Amino acid sequence: MHTGVVLVPGDPHSPVLLHVPHAGTEIPDWAREHLLLDDAELAAELAALTDHRTDELAAAAADAARVRPHLLVNPISRFVVDVERFPDEREEMAAVGMAAVYTHGTRRQRIRADDPEHHAALRAAFYTPWAEAVRAAVEDRLAATGRAVLIDVHSYPSRSLPYELHANGPRPPVCVGTDAFHTPPHLVAAARAAFGMDVRLDTPFSGVYVPLAHWHRDHRVTALMIEIRRDCYLVEPAGPPTDGFAALAGALAHLVDTLSAGITDFVVGGVPG
């Protein structure tokens, strides 16, 4: 069975992992049978919530980077399992039925029954293998380079959806999610330099993804979440790319190169030209 883990190795000297968890649309038949949506309703949910073409953005950035980063891409839809959610009471999205296994959709409507056995099977098939793959990739980078830099690549709609818990804040072209433990100031500075004045921090989404084995334990693992507003690079909700795609892929490549260069290079020499 396909676990949804796609790892594309990069340069062995790169500490950077581009992490793309929500671009996928694949839904195995055995998971589809448990969704309480007809085909049109499911298509609407996929259009609204999938991080469309973020896998292509990450791949284009990797191709353009001077030191190729490593890619982790999930082809499985978040409507099967959301691999980025906390597995326990720390997950705030459980309040709207959107923990690791969604029971509710973007309009807070019921989309899946409360079925602990099925939920456990989904987590075992997809959540656990993904978490293990990211942990292994991070530890591989630590062993090879002494550090690991996770760049989480997401997108979000220009208009808020009913499920959002923090929908009243600004919706900038680029939102950068941070964490007090895993996001040192030089990462934020690098993101601002790469994306320019388009950057706002932690609005409308916040936080970063780090494997639980390293979460708030290992300062060698640093992380940013890059949330790109979808109308900046495609025709919403899920249409073709626009002229903004190439510019954003280039900005992401610039960020990768800056963070690949290391803290000393960035602080002393500025953003590599």
Side-chain angles (χ1 to χ4, degrees):
M1 179 172 53
H2 191 350
T3 61
V5 178
V6 176
L7 173 62
V8 182
D11 189 295
H13 302 292
S14 173
V16 178
L17 288 155
L18 290 181
H19 179 254
V20 189
H22 292 156
T25 57
E26 294 181 18
I27 300 177
D29 290 343
W30 66 275
R32 174 69 179 94
E33 293 169 358
H34 288 260
L35 289 171
L36 309 175
L37 301 168
D38 63 29
D39 288 348
E41 291 168 336
L42 179 56
E45 289 293 286
L46 288 169
L49 206 58
T50 302
D51 289 354
H52 301 286
R53 300 185 184 274
T54 51
D55 52 344
E56 298 173 25
L57 274 170
D63 289 342
R66 288 178 291 184
V67 180
R68 186 177 183 86
H70 304 260
L71 290 176
L72 276 160
V73 180
N74 182 16
I76 303 297
S77 172
R78 63 196 298 186
F79 285 99
V80 178
V81 167
D82 192 327
V83 295
E84 281 211 315
R85 300 298 198 224
F86 281 113
D88 51 32
E89 68 280 354
R90 288 173 289 183
E91 184 47 63
E92 70 169 355
M93 296 306 296
V96 290
M98 298 179 80
V101 178
Y102 297 173
T103 57
H104 292 71
T106 60
R107 294 178 288 107
R108 304 200 181 196
Q109 78 279 28
R110 171 69 72 165
I111 66 167
R112 185 185 272 118
D114 293 317
D115 183 342
E117 183 176 349
H118 179 59
H119 293 193
L122 290 171
R123 288 193 294 270
F126 302 108
Y127 186 94
T128 300
W130 182 267
E132 174 59 23
V134 181
R135 182 200 62 78
V138 165
E139 292 182 0
D140 181 69
R141 292 302 83 213
L142 290 174
T145 72
R147 61 193 179 106
V149 185
L150 275 160
I151 303 177
D152 212 17
V153 185
H154 290 268
S155 70
Y156 73 100
S158 57
R159 294 186 179 183
S160 64
L161 295 168
Y163 84 93
E164 294 182 25
L165 295 178
H166 309 288
N168 293 328
R171 301 180 81 82
V174 179
C175 158
V176 172
T178 69
D179 175 80
F181 187 97
H182 290 288
T183 311
H186 77 274
L187 263 69
V188 174
R192 290 192 185 280
F195 290 99
M197 296 302 292
D198 292 341
V199 169
R200 297 286 294 272
L201 301 184
D202 296 311
T203 178
F205 300 99
S206 62
V208 301
Y209 179 80
V210 168
L212 290 177
H214 301 275
W215 178 252
H216 286 189
R217 297 178 182 179
D218 193 341
H219 281 290
R220 298 175 302 163
V221 182
T222 57
L224 283 173
M225 178 173 66
I226 304 298
E227 289 267 6
I228 301 170
R229 206 178 65 212
R230 288 187 200 129
D231 63 337
C232 294
Y233 72 95
L234 58 73
V235 177
E236 289 191 283
T242 62
D243 291 343
F245 182 97
L248 284 163
L252 185 56
H254 189 154
L255 175 61
V256 167
D257 283 334
T258 300
L259 298 181
S260 296
I263 297 173
T264 301
D265 289 357
F266 180 76
V267 173
V268 175
V271 178

